[in-house]
Amino acid sequence: MLTQSLAVAILAAAAPALARPDASFWKRTLSSTLNEARTCGIYDAAPTVKAPKVNPWSQITHEDTVAVWDLIHAPESGFNLTEPSKAVATDNYVYFMDTLHTNKTAVLPYIDGEGVQPAKYARVVIFEGAKPEPVSQEYMVGPLPVGPSTKIEKLDYIFNGAKRGEVPYNARYFDGKRSRLSEPLLIKTMEEIADITEALFGGVYYGSGDNRTNIVATTPTPVSLDGTTAFRTVMFRYPGLASYLTPIDFYVILDIPGTDPSKYTLRGIVTNERFFPTVAEFRAAYDAGEIKNEFPQTRDQEWGLVKLNEEMGVRDLEDRLAPQSIEIGGKRYKLDVENQYVEYMGWSFYMAFTRTLGLFFYDIKFKGERVLYELSLQEAAAQYAGYQPKAANTVYHDTYYSIGTYSATLVEGFDCPFGATMLNASYPEGRGTEVHPQAICLFESDSGYPVARHRYGSSNDYGFSNLGTVKGSSLWARHIATIGNYDYMFNFGFNVDGSIEVEVRASGYLQSSPYYKNQSSFGPRIHEGTQGSYHDHVLTFKADFDILDTKNSLQVTDLIVKNQTQPWFPELGTFEQMELEASLMKEEQQFNWAANGQAMYSVVSEKTNKWGEKRGYRIVPGKSNIHLSIKDSPFSKGSSTLLKSNLAVTRVHDNEPYANSWQNIHLSQAPQQEFAKFFDGESVEDEDITVWFNLGMHHFTRSEDVPVTLFSEAVSNIVFAPQNFNDRAQEGDLRNRRWLVAGKEGLEYEDYGNTVGTCRIELEEPATKVLPIITL
């Protein structure tokens, strides 16, 4: 592909005139300007800055990963580990390694004073299948780098479940090694009915590695409810790039407790909305003509691909390059790549990345004063609805799949603006480090509206005496995690007015269901044999506010209506009036947004601004601020408490860094991390507090979800805005503004030295810049 160039001219402001120059003059001027203009430096690197301190939240290094791997595999460590690629389910092997969070109590003396830099630790998950009672156990290894003082200890203190960092085998991650134990039973079952499945839907299954197999078997979560036993609900699809859209009305349910396959049994077969406990009963029903394939599924998946569909025709002028958001004046943010530290228009913050949760933000300050200690994703969940085994029992916690490992490959100009700063994401993988180039982008964008404006009316020729308008812009950090069928876009925006926005969007494939004409209450028909299954998306975030310091409160300002009288309106008697009634939350609790938005929630300090008001930040609801609809499902009962309210507030503790455990998905009735236990009556007045909030969507599926759900519609966001944090609005020091004065002599304006210049933009084809994943 050739490099595509786009010439854009931004002409200097002309003197006031009553008429525009004639067209030929305009064209000559434009052509001359373009020929002489310099090239805009949109691909120039961001200016550099040195972070105040070495990043205490950064990932462990590649060298540390190798050293920790060698240490835990050393015979003297006593784990008797097998190389993962050679291991089976009944071996001991390392499942993954990650960076362990750094305790806040250790960080604050360092970043706020002269304290020592906190030690780094690795987080290691070992599947101990060789034990008499096989388990998954988490360990912490440190301090790093590995040396005489390095220890391997059980990582128990961050979990509040009965077994802490230990998870029973039945509830551990359902990896390929576990799947292979139950594969013989699945193959035996499907072989016995291969003639029927071939006749019903043209599909047979003899195992994933058998050339005769022409359908795909997949297992949703959960596979256990409390770890005491396990089951496997197997659904089938036609293979292909869009297989999520071609489900087959056929399910096999297996009971698979423990590691001994001889104890595994067939629970039953489901099709045509009927349950058959045995193969014999299923065959008898088929032979009796009771099993039909009323809405055959298609094997053709071209209709499900995200590429140009020529059959839809051509939109007029769509051959032109679409509008672009470009940093035309050069990058206005500074970056310390080594320490993952950023400064922008008064903002400063550090970034960190983990395989489990992806992107974190720490020590977020505005004009040198801390607003947040931590801002991070905690969980991305979905729960489905339906009257068939897959949809009825499917709950996803995407931390289970390691969200950070699926953050990769942003396409410049489409996923992020041209010229955005592209950053790599890296995480431990086995004895090495996996690097995803271009996984995170930083860019400044036009807000699409002025941050402030007013036109002062007048009877003169212009209709105003003065007009003031201030450019709005934001710095965004973005990554997109494609986790199975869904693409989650995570956006974190830092606005020039001192506000912060957190936004999540969803695209990608529906996990659809076979179409049943009598099941419209679970979703519409979206293709020949496909139903769009209704589901909730709920994403939990953590906002550890430190407004100026760690002594904060959550203030609730209720908008109430009272009957009152006022002596200057004697003829009205008693009438309704709105009033504000402020109070502080006393104890830790979960809560929801007030009806009609008639309450404001602010995190405040006892310190006041110039006017005697408590300085704080308001939590402003945005689009689709939902929580999980279902409250008492057996599949999400205790493991999804964090999803069941809009908001929550708790005291900060080092042993409560995460709202959820990545292995909670199979422990709904005996969670490893029970969010409900966070609420134990502690005071949240003038304390170090965290606000947990949920974003998400009630996904009312539609035919427009084909081929994929659209980012434009599946969106949820929230804003943290200054609430008396300052003495006035934070627009007065922004020079990207105009002040226009109209009078008898004409129009004058002030540009404050921020003149409009001219430059030529040359865009580079982004597809040629995509890089492969690197393994160190």
Side-chain angles (χ1 to χ4, degrees), residues 23-44:
S24 61
F25 175 80
W26 184 258
K27 290 178 181 178
R28 289 196 304 272
T29 302
L30 178 60
S31 176
S32 174
T33 302
L34 285 176
N35 290 334
E36 298 172 1
R38 64 180 175 83
T39 301
C40 297
I42 65 169
Y43 294 108
D44 292 349

Side-chain angles (χ1 to χ4, degrees), residues 33 111 259 581 617:
T33 302
I111 60 170
T259 59
E581 190 172 83
Y617 262 69

Side-chain angles (χ1 to χ4, degrees), residues 590-620:
Q590 290 184 266
F591 56 101
N592 292 323
W593 298 110
N596 196 38
Q598 286 186 221
M600 176 176 68
Y601 303 96
S602 305
V603 178
V604 298
S605 169
E606 286 301 308
K607 297 176 181 178
T608 60
N609 66 7
K610 181 178 179 180
W611 316 114
E613 300 294 336
K614 292 180 179 180
R615 301 179 66 187
Y617 262 69
R618 175 187 177 188
I619 306 168
V620 186

Side-chain angles (χ1 to χ4, degrees), residues 399-523:
T399 53
Y400 174 77
Y401 302 102
S402 291
I403 292 170
T405 65
Y406 292 97
S407 296
T409 317
L410 297 173
V411 180
E412 185 187 0
F414 294 86
D415 295 329
C416 306
F418 284 104
T421 297
M422 296 297 207
L423 301 174
N424 300 339
S426 61
Y427 55 88
E429 186 61 51
R431 192 180 178 268
T433 300
E434 188 155 302
V435 181
H436 290 187
Q438 305 155 327
I440 302 165
C441 64
L442 282 177
F443 59 92
E444 186 182 12
S445 71
D446 185 338
S447 298
Y449 54 85
V451 70
R453 183 190 191 275
H454 189 66
R455 176 178 175 272
Y456 302 81
S458 175
S459 58
N460 63 25
D461 291 343
Y462 290 90
F464 66 88
S465 60
N466 303 87
L467 192 157
T469 183
V470 187
K471 185 74 174 176
S473 58
S474 309
L475 180 70
W476 291 92
R478 170 179 296 168
H479 69 112
I480 300 177
T482 303
I483 308 161
N485 53 315
Y486 267 107
D487 295 60
Y488 284 115
M489 176 189 287
F490 299 101
N491 294 318
F492 300 86
F494 300 86
N495 303 320
V496 291
D497 66 351
S499 63
I500 299 172
E501 182 175 353
V502 181
E503 178 188 79
V504 62
R505 295 177 183 266
S507 187
Y509 290 111
L510 294 177
Q511 179 174 283
S512 55
S513 297
Y515 174 65
Y516 308 92
K517 63 183 177 182
N518 63 334
Q519 289 196 29
S520 60
S521 59
F522 297 111

